[in-house]
Amino acid sequence: MLETATMITADAGRTAAVVLTSTIKLDTRAGHLQKATLRATAHGVYEARIGGQPVSKALLTPGWTSYEWRLQVQEVDVIDLVQDGVDLEVLLGNGWYRGDLGFENANANYGEEIGFIGELELTYSDGSSQKIVTDDSWGAHASDTPENSLYNGQKIDARLRGAGAALEVRCLDFDRSTLISQVGPPVVRQESLRPQRIWTSPAGRVLVDFGQNLVGWLRFRVQGPAGSEITIRHAEVLEHEELGTRPLRGAKATDTFVLSGELDSFEPTLTFHGFRYAEITGWPGTPGIEDLEAVVVHSQMRRTGWFQCSNELVNKLVSNSIWSQKGNFLDVPTDCPQRDERLGWTGDLAAYASTATFQFETADFLHKWLLDLAEETRHGKYGVPHVVPDVLKYANFPDEHAEREELFAGPKTIWGDAAVWVPEALWNAYGDRQRLAEHYPGMVLHLESVLPRLSATGVWDQGFQFGDWLDPDAAPDEPWKAKADPGVVATSCLYRSARVAAETAELLGKTSDAERWHELAQRTRAAFNDAYVDGSGRIVSDCPTVYTLAICFALLPEDLLEPAGDRLAELVRNAGYRISTGFAGTPFINRALTETGHIEEAYRLLLETGNPSWLYPVSMGATTIWERWDSMLEDGTINPGEMTSFNHYALGAVVDWLYTYVAGLRPAEPGYSRLLLQPVPGPGLDYAKATLDTPHGTAECGWSRDGEHHVTVETLVPEGILADVILPDGTTHTIASGRHSFEVTMVPTA
């Protein structure tokens, strides 16, 4: 792959993007051109054009992988673009490779020199072939982008177009063993939104509202005096009627455009921003709604899941989950897309993976990320890193954060469990045994990193844990200080991961491994009950998360399941149905209530609108899932915590319960080769329905209420498969493909 090409670069300054060029000269003696293929990749990000036309719709290529071991090569058919004498041009920017990534001025990078490597292979009708490869014969010149940064934004100077100074091309040392074929889907433009409103703030600034928190950039055409500048700042919210930029922390999120004096077109494709609002200065006159559009950008994913119910706030919650997934699935599943972070935090995805696989077709996207996770874990010293790709290992944190190494050293529950829980979600959604086998080594690496951390009693209570991160009762500046005992959380999650690893080993025919992980699971379960559970079913720290995990992960003896469910329901009632869980408990609490018969509590928890709750942000106008339950306070001010954003998907994991329990659409076998349709109607909704494009076709399950006790269940089963139906009255049916309807009379509860 790219055997004869050389990685090349040109220096126009650390912040600038450069253009690398070569002229295509066809071999006219070899007959007609029958095939033209461009193969390319970069340290940095690149955009290739032939004859001035983009070679593909992909953006920010080659994306972000663990560059030390895996660098994706893109292969594009360019037969329609190649002509004799036209230029092959490559715009090369910093991207993630030289992006000054991280937070708290970490300035983490993979290297100080960006570079491009590629080949254009031409095949002719006489059977001969020709290759144009990168080497020091290429030309280079300064681009119209003197500044480009994912965090800070891009500066484009239209006066430099076609007039950039010539630069010297240099060859770079490069490890070819890192080259791999493209695995993940490309990042592409998805849609564009026009402003909903343009106005002048009390401070005299021009503000634009696009009506939706999104990820991408602004695109526009404008004409004004040569040399004049337009500056656009981006933010997710307003505070005190001005742009709310404090949550961005160190990220400037600002694009600057220098006008040529002619009609200029601008689109800053070497950066991205998370924003709903923009502040514009320097525009000639006043921009109108027709002058601007926000371009929505994320990895190519096909929408597969839908939910609809009688409560519009709940429908908006689902929409917010969809938009947060779109915004944070930009080549890497990130925590947030707007501030100085945008990292592939493993804990966020561990909480959300099941939801993600229902909403979009994510098989390739998450497969790519899991391969990076395994490489990072294999080469690291602490188990699964907290972020994947792990650029933080190159961070230069300030001296006052020197204790970070000691604090974060070692595996972390939930964050490390992503190595197991994400493959489990993919297996359930798609049933791909080959890919499960590729993900299994990462499971093993995680579990083996945990074993030395167990205490003599067999529980995982050693070392710092993020735990039930962002428990609403934790202080804003100490989000790890949750009510749930960190040892209870860690030991619960270890049991689940050991059990999943054992089941995976059995599926893959790894008998000795299966025995090993089954033994670990049973040993952990016994240790959990000995250390943390009393004879009445009370669990240490006695808060919703510990009961939730014990119930959903099947840790308790059968005779203690009912008392644990009753205590969980009691705690939910005592809290006034306000949410009281963080990353660990939130994805599972409604399921735990439902499976222990506390359906009313589960529904009331969902439908609560006071702070904190899932619907509080919706009632405050949120269009994505917030990082904190109260990222914005009721008085319209931003949460005082140093860490807050308005586009974090993790706490939106509750919508998985909407799909799988409220509407009742679940896989009975991996990949939905058999369905389990078990809707659970509850108080506060009159109807609910989920639709899923499974690997076998479209499936549906839903219900509607007619009066207090009469419910109609409607289902759709794809061709060629069976479904097990469990109706709300407890009766069961096995049905084949097609539409089916059931009338149910609900028995009133005492």
Side-chain angles (χ1 to χ4, degrees), residues 449-706:
S449 75
V450 173
L451 290 174
R453 303 280 169 168
L454 303 183
S455 69
T457 61
V459 299
W460 187 5
D461 60 359
Q462 306 296 306
F464 171 79
Q465 293 285 356
F466 296 122
D468 197 23
W469 183 259
L470 288 173
D471 177 330
D473 295 318
D477 58 344
E478 295 179 311
W480 62 89
K481 288 193 174 180
K483 298 182 293 296
D485 181 277
V488 175
V489 173
T491 308
S492 300
C493 295
L494 172 60
Y495 170 70
R496 179 189 176 191
S497 288
R499 182 168 47 81
V500 171
E503 294 167 355
T504 302
E506 285 181 350
L507 283 166
L508 300 177
K510 299 178 180 292
T511 305
S512 61
D513 277 20
E515 292 174 352
R516 180 189 184 195
W517 303 132
H518 273 303
E519 193 275 332
L520 174 62
Q522 294 312 308
R523 189 170 75 239
T524 302
R525 188 173 189 265
F528 176 89
N529 282 280
D530 288 344
Y532 299 129
V533 186
D534 70 15
S536 67
R538 289 295 174 99
I539 301 175
V540 168
S541 62
D542 191 35
C543 64
T545 287
V546 297
Y547 293 102
T548 291
L549 299 183
I551 291 166
C552 288
F553 297 172
L555 276 153
L556 298 171
E558 188 173 346
D559 63 322
L560 296 184
L561 186 60
E562 182 177 345
D566 290 345
R567 179 57 178 160
L568 174 60
E570 181 182 18
L571 290 169
V572 169
R573 291 192 298 270
N574 291 346
Y577 302 97
R578 303 292 177 93
I579 196 70
S580 191
T581 53
F583 270 35
T586 295
F588 306 107
I589 185 169
N590 292 65
R591 173 183 154 194
L593 290 165
T594 303
E595 291 188 347
T596 54
H598 299 285
I599 297 169
E600 179 178 353
E601 286 82 359
Y603 269 76
R604 290 190 64 176
L605 187 64
L606 168 74
L607 297 174
E608 174 61 43
T609 57
N611 180 23
S613 67
W614 285 292
L615 297 186
Y616 165 72
V618 177
S619 71
M620 292 288 288
T623 61
T624 42
I625 302 296
W626 291 354
E627 178 175 21
R628 295 179 182 268
W629 298 107
D630 58 349
S631 285
M632 179 165 284
L633 306 182
E634 294 173 62
D635 63 1
T637 60
I638 296 169
N639 187 293
E642 179 268 342
M643 179 197 75
T644 192
S645 89
F646 296 85
N647 195 353
H648 255 69
Y649 51 63
L651 297 179
V654 66
V655 303
D656 183 65
W657 174 74
L658 295 176
Y659 302 135
T660 59
Y661 282 81
V662 173
L665 205 168
R666 284 179 263 169
E669 296 176 359
Y672 296 88
S673 56
R674 189 179 182 112
L675 299 180
L676 173 59
L677 306 178
Q678 188 177 2
V680 183
L685 295 185
D686 295 325
Y687 71 87
K689 184 179 83 167
T691 302
L692 177 66
D693 285 346
T694 78
H696 303 276
T698 301
E700 292 180 0
C701 189
W703 56 272
S704 59
R705 194 190 308 277
D706 181 9

Side-chain angles (χ1 to χ4, degrees), residues 282-540:
W283 188 278
T286 302
I289 288 175
E290 70 283 355
D291 293 323
L292 302 166
E293 57 182 334
V295 179
V296 178
V297 175
H298 60 77
S299 288
Q300 187 66 62
M301 304 179 296
R302 181 173 59 90
R303 178 82 179 269
T304 53
W306 293 264
F307 177 87
Q308 188 74 23
C309 74
S310 57
N311 186 304
E312 286 305 315
L313 293 179
V314 174
N315 292 335
K316 184 60 174 174
L317 174 67
V318 175
S319 172
N320 291 358
S321 175
I322 292 290
W323 274 97
S324 278
Q325 184 172 348
K326 291 196 293 187
N328 283 291
F329 274 40
L330 196 159
D331 205 66
V332 167
T334 54
D335 57 326
C336 61
Q338 73 296 105
R339 68 183 180 219
D340 57 347
E341 198 161 350
R342 313 184 197 188
L343 305 173
W345 285 94
T346 48
D348 298 60
L349 189 59
Y352 194 74
S354 181
T355 309
T357 58
F358 198 101
Q359 295 179 158
F360 290 90
E361 201 287 316
T362 58
D364 291 345
F365 179 89
L366 293 178
H367 175 62
K368 162 189 171 275
W369 184 79
L370 284 167
L371 295 177
D372 284 324
L373 181 148
E375 288 294 341
E376 296 283 7
T377 307
R378 187 174 295 115
H379 290 90
K381 55 183 177 178
Y382 294 135
V384 177
H386 308 135
V387 299
V388 173
D390 184 17
V391 69
L392 292 184
K393 60 179 175 284
Y394 304 121
N396 297 302
F397 288 111
D399 290 342
E400 61 265 29
H401 297 287
E403 76 278 6
R404 181 184 305 277
E405 176 81 3
E406 180 179 352
L407 186 66
F408 287 175
K412 302 291 179 283
T413 193
I414 302 176
W415 279 251
D417 291 306
V420 183
W421 298 4
V422 178
E424 178 192 27
L426 290 175
W427 170 246
N428 288 335
Y430 308 114
D432 190 326
R433 189 179 299 266
Q434 179 179 339
R435 285 193 168 177
L436 184 66
E438 293 182 70
H439 302 151
Y440 176 71
M443 299 185 188
V444 173
L445 289 168
H446 167 58
L447 291 174
E448 290 183 336
S449 75
V450 173
L451 290 174
R453 303 280 169 168
L454 303 183
S455 69
T457 61
V459 299
W460 187 5
D461 60 359
Q462 306 296 306
F464 171 79
Q465 293 285 356
F466 296 122
D468 197 23
W469 183 259
L470 288 173
D471 177 330
D473 295 318
D477 58 344
E478 295 179 311
W480 62 89
K481 288 193 174 180
K483 298 182 293 296
D485 181 277
V488 175
V489 173
T491 308
S492 300
C493 295
L494 172 60
Y495 170 70
R496 179 189 176 191
S497 288
R499 182 168 47 81
V500 171
E503 294 167 355
T504 302
E506 285 181 350
L507 283 166
L508 300 177
K510 299 178 180 292
T511 305
S512 61
D513 277 20
E515 292 174 352
R516 180 189 184 195
W517 303 132
H518 273 303
E519 193 275 332
L520 174 62
Q522 294 312 308
R523 189 170 75 239
T524 302
R525 188 173 189 265
F528 176 89
N529 282 280
D530 288 344
Y532 299 129
V533 186
D534 70 15
S536 67
R538 289 295 174 99
I539 301 175
V540 168

